[in-house]
Amino acid sequence: MTQQPSLHIDIFTLFPGMFEGPFRESIVARAVESGQATIALHDIRDWTHDRHRSVDDRPYGGGAGMVMMAPPVVESVESVLGEDLEKTRILLMSPAGVRFTQGMAREIAGSARLALICGHYEGIDARVETILGAETVSIGDYVLTGGELPAMVIVDAVARLLPGVIRAESTDEESHEGAGVEYPHFTRPVEYRGEVVPDILLSGHHQNIREWRAAQAAEVLERRNQRETAPPGDQTE
Ligand code: ADE
């Protein structure tokens, strides 16, 4: 029997405990149980050299906050990835990064090895990105306290795309319709508090249903884009 390819994910963090609950409860757990993914958590502090196990220091040039030092981050990634370093996609979590997209999730789901580095404090020494050949990635235009939640978001988005983790039709449909922008869904009961399910969905006419859903999805996308481009306080249509 041929072995299905699986994805190995290494996560480098100062807070490995943060991942326990989410990874135990979610679809990510299913991906791991079914052998589609393996996840290893690495505590960056294990690669510190001083007796205080320091991972951060004040920024050169002055300024607020602390910066994560390059050596423990670089050495943790190098020692874990070893010879695979060159062929591993290494993502560094930062609000200053390129926006993570469904397209990136799909690319990663088709690859063999991923490494996620979680920043903390004011950021990570800029040399980490250069030395490791990492891509800096953001999950959205807001600032979180660290890269752990973004890393969980990325793992979740990727895990559900691995073969057999959720029903293939769900993810196939998304790739045809675009980046997860969907039409409205309805299930029983047919009428609830005076609100009824659109007749067309009860018609059994598959072609018409497909067309209606495509039109609805386009409308949902249009409304979302309007909200995103409208100036603050001007959220009306
Ligand atoms: N670290 C802090 N905020 C972040 C964000 N929005 N995306 C990725 N990493 C982050």
Side-chain angles (χ1 to χ4, degrees), residues 16 76 82-83 95 101 108 110 129 133 139 158 173-174 178 195 210 214 225:
S76 61
E83 288 183 354
T101 61
I108 294 166
E129 184 180 353
I139 61 157
V158 170
E173 209 164 275
E174 281 165 9
E195 298 288 329
R210 256 195 302 278
N225 290 343

Side-chain angles (χ1 to χ4, degrees), residues 93-95 119 137-147 150:
M93 307 298 112
S94 161
V137 170
S138 163
I139 61 157
D141 289 343
Y142 37 80
V143 181
L144 302 166
T145 53

Side-chain angles (χ1 to χ4, degrees), residues 37-121:
T38 47
I39 303 177
L41 290 159
H42 309 285
D43 189 339
I44 294 168
R45 225 174 266 282
D46 293 343
W47 280 270
T48 50
H49 300 289
D50 64 321
R51 125 186 120 77
H52 301 291
R53 310 219 308 151
S54 322
V55 287
D56 62 320
D57 211 332
R58 285 166 306 170
Y60 279 122
M66 301 288 269
V67 176
M68 270 171 78
M69 298 187 294
V73 180
V74 168
E75 287 160 36
S76 61
V77 174
E78 282 178 346
S79 79
V80 167
L81 296 185
E83 288 183 354
D84 278 356
L85 190 110
E86 292 288 317
K87 54 178 182 227
T88 301
R89 189 138 186 203
I90 305 172
L91 305 184
L92 184 66
M93 307 298 112
S94 161
V98 169
R99 185 81 63 86
F100 180 72
T101 61
Q102 188 68 17
M104 283 170 81
R106 270 191 224 111
E107 280 169 23
I108 294 166
S111 71
R113 194 155 186 182
L114 170 71
L116 301 173
I117 304 171
C118 306
H120 246 271
Y121 311 109

Side-chain angles (χ1 to χ4, degrees), residues 136-178:
T136 303
V137 170
S138 163
I139 61 157
D141 289 343
Y142 37 80
V143 181
L144 302 166
T145 53
E148 282 73 17
L149 289 168
M152 289 178 215
V153 166
I154 290 176
V155 171
D156 192 281
V158 170
R160 62 186 289 285
L161 297 177
L162 296 173
V165 173
I166 58 176
R167 283 170 57 225
E169 305 94 270
S170 315
T171 52
D172 284 353
E173 209 164 275
E174 281 165 9
S175 42
H176 294 134
E177 314 269 338

